[in-house]
Amino acid sequence: MSVGTPGSGAAPCRFAHYFVICGIDTETGLEPDELAALYQWLEADRQGRSPDAANAGENFEQSPLKRTFKSKVLAHFPENIEWNPFDQDAVNMLCMPKGLSFRTQAEPREPRFHSFLITREDGSRTYGFVHTFYEEVTSAPIRAAMQTLYQMHHAGHAAAAASSSSSSSMDSLASSLDEGEGGAGPPAQAPPPCGGCSGAYDAARDTLYASKALCLITPLPFMHACRRFLAQLHRAAAGPRPPPLPLESYVHNLLYEVPLPPPGRALKFHGVYEPIVCQRPGPGELPLADFPLGDAFQLLGVENLVQLFTCVLLEMQILLYSQDYQRLMTVAEGITTLLFPFQWQHVYVPILPASLHHFLDAPVPYLMGLQSKEGTDRSKLELPQEANLCFVDIDNHCIELPEDFPQFPNKTEFIQELTEVLQRFGLSPEGATPVGPGPAHLKSLALHELVDDRRNGNLGGEALAVLERLQALTKRTGVAVEGVETLGRAGHRGDAPGRTPEEEEELRDAKLNVQLREVFASRFTAMFADYEAFVIQGAQDLESWLTNREQMHNFDKASFLSDQPEPYLPFLSHFIETQMFATFIDNKIMSQWEEKEPLLRVFDARVEKARLYSGRAPSLRSSHYQRCTNLKEAAQAIEQRLMKIDHTAIHPHLLDMKIGQGKYEQGFFPKLQADVLATGPTNNKWASRTATAQRRKDRHRQHNEHLGLDNDLKEKYMQEARSLGKSLRQPKLSDLSPAVIAQTNWKFVEGLLKECRMKTKRMLVEKMGREAVELGHGEANITGLEENTLIASLCDLLERIWSHGLQVKQGKSALWSHLLHYQAREEKLEQQADSPVSNGQERRKSDTGMALPPLKVSVTQDMRHIQNMSEIKTEVGRARAWIRLSLEKKLLSQHLKQLLSNQALTKKLYKRYAFLRCEEEKEQFLFHLLSLNAVDYFCFTSAFTKIMIPYRAVIIPIKKLSNAMTTSNPWVCVSGELGDSGVMQIPKNVLEMTFDCQNLGKLTTVQLGHDNSGLLAKWLVDCVMVRNEITGHTYKFPCGRWLGKSVDDGSLERILIGELVVPSAEEQEGKQCRTPPMLRSPSQIRRISITSQGGRGGKPNVVQIQESIGEAVNNIIKHFHKPEKERGSLTVLLCGESGLVAALEQFFYHGFKSSRLFQKTVFVWDFVERAAAYLDTAEQIGDLQEAPEPLGPAGETFCRYVGGINGTPRSIGKDGKFQLLVCLGARDRLLPQWIPLLAECPLVARMYEDTALLRDRATVNSLVGVLQTLHDFSITLESSLIKGIRL
């Protein structure tokens, strides 16, 4: 709404562009409203009926006084303006959104005021302000036509009285169009025609009135000034005495002789009876906003308004709903004004005309206003999509929010600050709650309603006079009548001399407006104080930036989020993905080469000022709430401008008019003389001077912009860059043929496909970037929060695609509704075939050679999993869970292809223009989704952490004679990132079991053991396989070792580390490639080779051992440098195949003397135990001659830890004990103290060769230095590792 919105062309300097009169054309007579007919055509198409049938005959059910008739633009002045061409159809439609309406003398005919705006394709806006009143119809043909229509209606009504009234096909949306009678059908019996009855008309008795509209079209939203000017103009025509000058003089003066106030100045011009003052903010202030924000807060309440504001910031679909057009406009303009420094980038139609209701089908973010019918129930209003809709019922002060809705940062403190501002102005933070007032309050309520009508310009001359007399009387007599003294809210507090109550009211509104806006603006200044540090200035010049705009990252989102306070993240991670934020950053980058966009200039100045005053280091972020500090100054600036008026426009004066024209007739707005209003004065120095300066400025700017660039290329780049990701801003109002509507829908289809391509590309780039880091390339640039935001955004896109072109709305989620239809048909087919697997289903093969049974995979199977989750209560929630599950299983594209393969169902559910029925686009869409199979998502597992999941575990023994089975009682415990299953007994001789357990997350370890009972108390296990039966993720836990007292290292229990199984080649068909697994476990080969090292080849050399230790430590350090929620399992890095334990095992085995003595294997733990015993004994007997130095605390802790591990009731074997010692030593930062102790122990000479690494002082010192780097991190061990250990 700033003066220089991009693309506004030559900024016009006139206060008003056009003066328009709309009403009934007496020459053409009564014509049915074509737009209403078109809407009936669209509704018939939506219902699947023949559209031609909708126009087959007149609608005689409604009284002609309640029908809509075609209005026309009767006159507009001037004829046309080059920089803002007059759009007759659009202006006519928005001046009279319901067409012409008629009244008789028995019905209320108070004037009404409303405003509208037209958004051009480049995003610039033109404002319209409309004063609608009723004027007597004097044309005999029109009165006769109305009489005839009423007689036909009465006759048709009587004939239909016997039959039951069928509900109209337009009851859903169309019912909200008409004012007047309630939503019910026609009464069973038509009343007899009677003068004075509502809806009845008798030409002989009744006076007929028709609506007429006076409209001003202006470049800036000077609402108060325009409302007062139009009200005075109407008062001049309706009053008992003629105005001082012909009305042409006042209109001509406003159109041609009143300039826009310069920025930072106030301007006074003259209406018919009173002067009118308007003011414009200065260059450093918030842009002009004249719609009363206090009214918006009173209509909704602070809490609701902040929630609505958050929805708008997150670019959800917003539908405002009210009987009153001005309320729709007040809330829409109020909420978009509060977005500073951001701007709404999508469809913006605060008043949606009846003929455009098909636009609610738009699969894009929008902010629209829909007029409701009095008494219409919200439940009867069918909306094409509600999954991402924020529905605002203004008249009932309530709001329906979408699901999964992040709260605005510091919401409680923010609401408190807004509340205090409202209370200072005497307004309630809860808003005007609609309660039935008692008799005591009715008087004051009536008085307040009277003054509200006055403010809205809705009082006639007589009522206005009564109000003014009442106020004057109370003031003169000093009698306090409750409520009267505050009606004008002028009171006696600091009234400026000569200021009318109306002016005082406007000043108060302006002060409240600016203070509320300052509170909102200060929140953004605090939240984005350091945004410039994260803007990526990649391009050398404007041309290269525009050319590569789509491929470039303009903002370092991950670094920005990592710098924010934790409570802000849910909101900010969503917000920085919006189009309004992207446009804001684009404007920042383009400001290197172009003039700064006005909103950005003001915001940057505020950020700079805040930085100077606070002196805060940019990197220090705090969630502490910072209150707005400049409320007083902002209000004072406005008051000072209004007290000191800088400019006064030329007074209205007599024009060179033909004699006899401009004739005054009481109660009728005259036909204005066109020739005097067609052009302005030729000698107006101000107009010519400013226009010349503007042309010169434009030429200079264009020259600079096009320097060194081919014009056509430049235009193409500019169009593409500026419209990137943007959709249609406002439906075309001037041509509403079915062909144009089809073209608009085609634009939506193209837009959805482009959005899908952008979203999937972003998800791939970010995710692959992260996985590349895990493989050792580059730096991570995505966080779990950001990933979750991108997936939520994909869910929203799919919902919008499935909502586009629906035949009949069923439920809140269009996607889930389609899935339910598909499920019903598939289950019917299954029953007919009497087979558990239907045509569309496959069986997922198990891993090669493993004994897991195949997992059934189908659309309906995954739906059943979701339906069984009692935690999800809504259709939208189920649809999102199903998308996440399909994405995690790499089946999203395949499932949706299967769903859409049932073409008969798709045709039944969707109109022919729907996205899902555009074959080529649909194929491309599925292909884009297929590309997501290239990366791993755990978006279902990580989102639903509390659900119960069925798991299947299979123990695979090494089949060696009878060693496959054991006579002991085996048990297993499965652990993951979110918890463990607890110890579960395995039935004897059974190698497969299923169990239900709360979601364990990604699986990390399996504890496997037995109780050593029976004759065959040993067990040789190859591996354990565990599968999540919902997501299909299968984990392999290699073992390759014995479990038994008398074999191997005597372990009855082993802790196995898991790896995610890569699906086989057959499973990958149609699923694209897959990244390498993220987890690696110890393999049986490593374990066996280490424990049987004795003269055989394949031992790692010194360099390899040193490298493996360095890599293991490095991986642990990298782990702690990731965001906390992204770290994954530390157990894998400690105990896995390339973990710290394995690397230190290699170190201790290097140069270890014969690992077999008397056919008994010697383990590293044997050396550790003997060293501990030696140190313990040496300390007890004080034999320190052999020991190089006293033990000290390191020796004490070493002995204590070894004793504690040996004393555990668990039979974890010698390798298990060594693993535990390393893990505890790493946790408690003791390893660098223990290793030199072991190296100096005399036992080393007996048990290690001279070349052993443990006997090389330099190597030991180097190892100690590497291990000390882990001291900076707090290592937490999984409970499965340290269970039963008491130190």
PDB file of all heavy atoms in Angstrom, residues 632-645:
ATOM      1  N   LYS A 632       4.531   6.892  21.781  1.00  0.00           N
ATOM      2  CA  LYS A 632       4.172   8.289  22.028  1.00  0.00           C
ATOM      3  C   LYS A 632       4.593   9.173  20.840  1.00  0.00           C
ATOM      4  O   LYS A 632       3.812   9.995  20.347  1.00  0.00           O
ATOM      5  CB  LYS A 632       4.850   8.770  23.318  1.00  0.00           C
ATOM      6  CG  LYS A 632       4.202   9.990  23.955  1.00  0.00           C
ATOM      7  CD  LYS A 632       4.820  10.235  25.325  1.00  0.00           C
ATOM      8  CE  LYS A 632       4.244  11.504  25.944  1.00  0.00           C
ATOM      9  NZ  LYS A 632       4.872  11.787  27.245  1.00  0.00           N
ATOM     10  N   GLU A 633       5.831   8.975  20.376  1.00  0.00           N
ATOM     11  CA  GLU A 633       6.348   9.802  19.270  1.00  0.00           C
ATOM     12  C   GLU A 633       5.520   9.608  18.006  1.00  0.00           C
ATOM     13  O   GLU A 633       5.242  10.572  17.289  1.00  0.00           O
ATOM     14  CB  GLU A 633       7.812   9.435  18.970  1.00  0.00           C
ATOM     15  CG  GLU A 633       8.778   9.760  20.091  1.00  0.00           C
ATOM     16  CD  GLU A 633       8.925   8.615  21.096  1.00  0.00           C
ATOM     17  OE1 GLU A 633       7.938   7.890  21.285  1.00  0.00           O
ATOM     18  OE2 GLU A 633      10.005   8.485  21.686  1.00  0.00           O
ATOM     19  N   ALA A 634       5.116   8.355  17.728  1.00  0.00           N
ATOM     20  CA  ALA A 634       4.332   8.082  16.517  1.00  0.00           C
ATOM     21  C   ALA A 634       2.995   8.808  16.552  1.00  0.00           C
ATOM     22  O   ALA A 634       2.560   9.398  15.553  1.00  0.00           O
ATOM     23  CB  ALA A 634       4.115   6.579  16.379  1.00  0.00           C
ATOM     24  N   ALA A 635       2.328   8.793  17.729  1.00  0.00           N
ATOM     25  CA  ALA A 635       1.034   9.479  17.861  1.00  0.00           C
ATOM     26  C   ALA A 635       1.217  10.996  17.765  1.00  0.00           C
ATOM     27  O   ALA A 635       0.394  11.698  17.167  1.00  0.00           O
ATOM     28  CB  ALA A 635       0.382   9.091  19.185  1.00  0.00           C
ATOM     29  N   GLN A 636       2.296  11.495  18.351  1.00  0.00           N
ATOM     30  CA  GLN A 636       2.536  12.952  18.324  1.00  0.00           C
ATOM     31  C   GLN A 636       2.768  13.447  16.900  1.00  0.00           C
ATOM     32  O   GLN A 636       2.319  14.535  16.529  1.00  0.00           O
ATOM     33  CB  GLN A 636       3.751  13.297  19.194  1.00  0.00           C
ATOM     34  CG  GLN A 636       3.413  13.353  20.685  1.00  0.00           C
ATOM     35  CD  GLN A 636       4.658  13.515  21.548  1.00  0.00           C
ATOM     36  OE1 GLN A 636       5.785  13.414  21.058  1.00  0.00           O
ATOM     37  NE2 GLN A 636       4.446  13.762  22.834  1.00  0.00           N
ATOM     38  N   ALA A 637       3.473  12.659  16.095  1.00  0.00           N
ATOM     39  CA  ALA A 637       3.752  13.066  14.712  1.00  0.00           C
ATOM     40  C   ALA A 637       2.450  13.304  13.957  1.00  0.00           C
ATOM     41  O   ALA A 637       2.320  14.288  13.204  1.00  0.00           O
ATOM     42  CB  ALA A 637       4.580  11.987  14.022  1.00  0.00           C
ATOM     43  N   ILE A 638       1.468  12.434  14.186  1.00  0.00           N
ATOM     44  CA  ILE A 638       0.178  12.580  13.496  1.00  0.00           C
ATOM     45  C   ILE A 638      -0.555  13.820  13.994  1.00  0.00           C
ATOM     46  O   ILE A 638      -1.077  14.617  13.212  1.00  0.00           O
ATOM     47  CB  ILE A 638      -0.679  11.305  13.718  1.00  0.00           C
ATOM     48  CG1 ILE A 638      -0.106  10.185  12.862  1.00  0.00           C
ATOM     49  CG2 ILE A 638      -2.136  11.537  13.384  1.00  0.00           C
ATOM     50  CD1 ILE A 638      -0.790   8.877  12.983  1.00  0.00           C
ATOM     51  N   GLU A 639      -0.576  13.997  15.319  1.00  0.00           N
ATOM     52  CA  GLU A 639      -1.299  15.141  15.886  1.00  0.00           C
ATOM     53  C   GLU A 639      -0.685  16.461  15.417  1.00  0.00           C
ATOM     54  O   GLU A 639      -1.400  17.395  15.063  1.00  0.00           O
ATOM     55  CB  GLU A 639      -1.276  15.054  17.416  1.00  0.00           C
ATOM     56  CG  GLU A 639      -2.191  16.089  18.064  1.00  0.00           C
ATOM     57  CD  GLU A 639      -2.603  15.684  19.475  1.00  0.00           C
ATOM     58  OE1 GLU A 639      -1.978  14.778  20.057  1.00  0.00           O
ATOM     59  OE2 GLU A 639      -3.556  16.282  19.972  1.00  0.00           O
ATOM     60  N   GLN A 640       0.638  16.509  15.386  1.00  0.00           N
ATOM     61  CA  GLN A 640       1.297  17.751  14.953  1.00  0.00           C
ATOM     62  C   GLN A 640       0.984  18.064  13.494  1.00  0.00           C
ATOM     63  O   GLN A 640       0.778  19.225  13.125  1.00  0.00           O
ATOM     64  CB  GLN A 640       2.820  17.624  15.146  1.00  0.00           C
ATOM     65  CG  GLN A 640       3.228  17.789  16.604  1.00  0.00           C
ATOM     66  CD  GLN A 640       4.651  17.312  16.852  1.00  0.00           C
ATOM     67  OE1 GLN A 640       5.361  16.949  15.929  1.00  0.00           O
ATOM     68  NE2 GLN A 640       5.054  17.306  18.119  1.00  0.00           N
ATOM     69  N   ARG A 641       0.911  17.035  12.666  1.00  0.00           N
ATOM     70  CA  ARG A 641       0.587  17.270  11.252  1.00  0.00           C
ATOM     71  C   ARG A 641      -0.804  17.847  11.092  1.00  0.00           C
ATOM     72  O   ARG A 641      -1.047  18.731  10.282  1.00  0.00           O
ATOM     73  CB  ARG A 641       0.693  15.956  10.476  1.00  0.00           C
ATOM     74  CG  ARG A 641       1.982  15.807   9.705  1.00  0.00           C
ATOM     75  CD  ARG A 641       1.865  14.787   8.595  1.00  0.00           C
ATOM     76  NE  ARG A 641       1.522  13.465   9.039  1.00  0.00           N
ATOM     77  CZ  ARG A 641       2.388  12.565   9.493  1.00  0.00           C
ATOM     78  NH1 ARG A 641       3.665  12.867   9.568  1.00  0.00           N
ATOM     79  NH2 ARG A 641       2.003  11.377   9.867  1.00  0.00           N
ATOM     80  N   LEU A 642      -1.753  17.290  11.884  1.00  0.00           N
ATOM     81  CA  LEU A 642      -3.134  17.749  11.750  1.00  0.00           C
ATOM     82  C   LEU A 642      -3.330  19.139  12.360  1.00  0.00           C
ATOM     83  O   LEU A 642      -4.227  19.890  11.965  1.00  0.00           O
ATOM     84  CB  LEU A 642      -4.095  16.738  12.397  1.00  0.00           C
ATOM     85  CG  LEU A 642      -4.217  15.412  11.639  1.00  0.00           C
ATOM     86  CD1 LEU A 642      -5.104  14.442  12.404  1.00  0.00           C
ATOM     87  CD2 LEU A 642      -4.799  15.620  10.246  1.00  0.00           C
ATOM     88  N   MET A 643      -2.519  19.463  13.352  1.00  0.00           N
ATOM     89  CA  MET A 643      -2.643  20.802  13.961  1.00  0.00           C
ATOM     90  C   MET A 643      -2.045  21.868  13.044  1.00  0.00           C
ATOM     91  O   MET A 643      -2.523  22.982  12.966  1.00  0.00           O
ATOM     92  CB  MET A 643      -1.946  20.831  15.330  1.00  0.00           C
ATOM     93  CG  MET A 643      -2.726  20.085  16.403  1.00  0.00           C
ATOM     94  SD  MET A 643      -1.838  20.023  17.964  1.00  0.00           S
ATOM     95  CE  MET A 643      -2.025  21.707  18.512  1.00  0.00           C
ATOM     96  N   LYS A 644      -1.010  21.492  12.326  1.00  0.00           N
ATOM     97  CA  LYS A 644      -0.355  22.453  11.429  1.00  0.00           C
ATOM     98  C   LYS A 644      -0.575  21.975   9.991  1.00  0.00           C
ATOM     99  O   LYS A 644       0.173  21.171   9.463  1.00  0.00           O
ATOM    100  CB  LYS A 644       1.139  22.516  11.752  1.00  0.00           C
ATOM    101  CG  LYS A 644       1.885  23.559  10.933  1.00  0.00           C
ATOM    102  CD  LYS A 644       3.388  23.375  11.070  1.00  0.00           C
ATOM    103  CE  LYS A 644       4.107  24.272  10.080  1.00  0.00           C
ATOM    104  NZ  LYS A 644       5.530  23.980  10.013  1.00  0.00           N
ATOM    105  N   ILE A 645      -1.628  22.486   9.371  1.00  0.00           N
ATOM    106  CA  ILE A 645      -1.959  22.051   8.009  1.00  0.00           C
ATOM    107  C   ILE A 645      -1.069  22.813   7.032  1.00  0.00           C
ATOM    108  O   ILE A 645      -1.076  24.045   6.977  1.00  0.00           O
ATOM    109  CB  ILE A 645      -3.458  22.276   7.727  1.00  0.00           C
ATOM    110  CG1 ILE A 645      -4.264  21.299   8.588  1.00  0.00           C
ATOM    111  CG2 ILE A 645      -3.768  22.073   6.255  1.00  0.00           C
ATOM    112  CD1 ILE A 645      -5.689  21.625   8.747  1.00  0.00           C
TER     113      ILE A 645
END
